[in-house]
Amino acid sequence: MFNIKGKKVSPDYIWKLGKITVKYYAMKASELLRRYREGERNFQGVKLRGESLRGQNLSGADFSGADIRGADFTNANLKGAKFCRVKTGLQNYWITLLLVVTWFLSALLGFLTTITCLYTTSILIPKNTQILILVPGLVIL
């Protein structure tokens, strides 16, 4: 730990023009838990993407500036833990997967809607006028 401008800062922080820029370093859940058991509570700037800390006691830990996207803290004891300026949310591959699935489902539903409309039209409209209605309908789609 360094004492910079009256604040204790880990060596993983880089100071630029009085602002803190976080330099992340990856840490596995097993290493974090080992360090916690040894008494360390400063986990600022750690990268815990996708790690499982389910049901663990992490009370008083400082995760300020950490990258915890996809990390699982279910049933963990986080009393007094700090999560200032953390990166949260889904990991990038989940976002990509959800977008692809959404686009696929949209295209599939659009196709099924077109087929349903054509089938309904073929049932309700007399045979001799179907071509006059279906052709412009298909052109619009």
Side-chain angles (χ1 to χ4, degrees), residues 41-120:
R41 297 295 183 264
N42 182 9
F43 300 105
Q44 296 177 0
V46 295
K47 184 175 172 184
L48 293 169
R49 285 178 131 188
E51 294 294 325
S52 177
L53 296 163
R54 206 174 250 254
Q56 300 297 325
N57 179 17
L58 298 169
S59 60
D62 185 1
F63 293 102
S64 296
D67 183 354
I68 59 171
R69 287 179 276 189
D72 185 5
F73 288 95
T74 305
N75 295 326
N77 180 1
L78 300 171
K79 186 176 182 178
K82 294 180 186 176
F83 289 93
C84 300
R85 298 178 316 275
V86 294
K87 284 191 175 186
T88 61
L90 295 174
Q91 295 186 41
N92 290 339
Y93 65 86
W94 281 110
I95 294 171
T96 305
L97 178 66
L98 288 173
L99 283 173
V100 168
V101 168
T102 302
W103 290 335
F104 174 75
L105 289 175
S106 295
L108 179 65
L109 289 174
F111 176 75
L112 290 175
T113 301
T114 303
I115 296 299
T116 304
C117 289
L118 291 174
Y119 180 72
T120 304

Side-chain angles (χ1 to χ4, degrees), residues 20-50:
I20 298 175
T21 305
V22 180
K23 179 181 177 185
Y24 295 106
Y25 57 98
M27 185 181 289
K28 295 284 183 193
S30 57
E31 181 183 354
L32 184 137
L33 293 171
R34 179 184 58 78
R35 288 184 178 188
Y36 185 87
R37 280 191 300 273
E38 292 172 357
E40 186 175 344
R41 297 295 183 264
N42 182 9
F43 300 105
Q44 296 177 0
V46 295
K47 184 175 172 184
L48 293 169
R49 285 178 131 188

Side-chain angles (χ1 to χ4, degrees), residues 7-18:
K7 294 183 180 181
K8 289 186 178 182
V9 182
S10 70
D12 302 300
Y13 280 87
I14 302 169
W15 285 80
K16 293 182 180 176
L17 302 174

